Amino acid sequence: MSKSYQPIGVFDSGYGGLTIFKELLRELPQYDYIYLGDNARNPYGTRSFEVVYEYTRQAVFQLFEQGCRLVVLACNTASAKALRNIQQIDLPVTFPARRVLGVIRPSVEMIPDMTKTGHVGVLGTNGTVISESYPMEIAKISPNNPIFVTQVACPMWVPIVENNLIESPGAAFFVKQNLDELFGKDPLIDTVILGCTHYPLLTKVIRQYLPNGVQLMTQGAIVAERLKDYLIRHPEMELDCSKSGRREFFTTESPDNFDQLANLFLGSEVKSKHIKLG
Ligand code: DGL
């Protein structure tokens, strides 16, 4: 691959990162991108810290090998469990000139301006919830005005999305169950963070069961906006990112399956290639 081809890498355990990718394409269409979905090994949300770190590391290194200087972890679970290690252990030793960014911090930074009651709900995978990343980051961002955070893990939502069961009665059942649990724990919540990039694909059904007046935060537009800021603040990186509007897709599962759902989610033709990680 020529040195002048330096796409932005976008990684997720599967299809969820496409909800971020879609907004990156809308906000920053000029860049080249490689999307990588580890569909064969997801869900990540139920896996241990060590496994999510190892899988994410393999994916990031693969994207580096393909020329990316900048990778966005379009996955909360990977951001919660692998980002810090990759930034603090791997990059300084192996790839000091490359950067990896996550999705949790940009989302959390919006929270103080969004909530009026100071009560926020977080829906995420088991891994994200157990990591306590959201409550910790929210506490850091608003030290003088404590925000009350209630988390609920929704382990069925990712398999529902990955299997394209979004419109099924099962989807409605599990969405209602998890939202009832969240608002049963704290009825004062006025802002719900969809802390998993797969969940926006369920927005229609989530809105059906969300109490009136509660705001739903999806991450795509926020992450795109923050990436734009980042590139403005790092002109040396921005200059290196190649800009011919090229998009490549890789999946660790069957490309045919990937393309079908990816087309649906992105609203444009996707032709992915198979890739093996690890
Ligand atoms: N999309 C990922 C996230 O944002 C999780 C999906 C999974 O469990 O694999 O957390």
Side-chain angles (χ1 to χ4, degrees), residues 85-244:
N85 273 4
I86 291 176
Q87 286 175 335
Q88 295 181 356
I89 301 171
D90 298 303
L91 295 188
V93 175
T94 323
F95 294 102
R98 319 269 178 135
R99 291 292 173 267
V100 180
L101 307 174
V103 289
I104 294 180
R105 184 74 190 193
S107 315
V108 161
E109 283 172 354
M110 306 297 291
I111 285 299
D113 286 339
M114 285 182 79
T115 177
K116 299 282 172 288
T117 61
H119 290 243
V120 166
V122 176
L123 301 171
T125 64
N126 273 315
T128 299
V129 166
I130 289 166
S131 77
E132 293 279 329
S133 297
Y134 274 97
M136 284 186 313
E137 291 294 329
I138 290 173
K140 274 192 227 156
I141 210 98
S142 192
N144 303 323
N145 246 338
I147 292 172
F148 195 74
V149 182
T150 303
Q151 304 190 93
V152 165
C154 311
M156 294 307 291
W157 293 18
V158 170
I160 286 168
V161 170
E162 287 287 320
N163 292 290
N164 196 13
L165 295 169
I166 290 166
E167 311 264 344
S168 69
F173 175 85
F174 286 111
V175 166
K176 180 177 183 324
Q177 187 180 65
N178 292 129
L179 287 178
D180 284 351
E181 186 186 343
L182 184 70
F183 289 95
K185 282 181 171 177
D186 183 1
L188 295 179
I189 290 170
D190 68 350
T191 307
V192 173
I193 304 177
L194 293 187
C196 171
T197 55
H198 281 66
Y199 297 174
L201 297 162
L202 290 163
T203 300
K204 216 163 112 195
V205 52
I206 294 169
R207 286 203 191 279
Q208 271 171 33
Y209 296 107
L210 201 66
N212 279 341
V214 174
Q215 316 176 77
L216 201 58
M217 179 201 275
T218 54
Q219 300 174 302
I222 296 169
V223 172
E225 193 56 47
R226 297 315 304 270
L227 180 63
K228 193 174 172 184
D229 279 2
Y230 178 88
L231 291 168
I232 292 171
R233 285 184 288 108
H234 295 85
E236 71 301 338
M237 176 68 81
E238 201 286 330
L239 222 66
D240 275 358
C241 290
S242 53
K243 302 168 190 72
S244 55

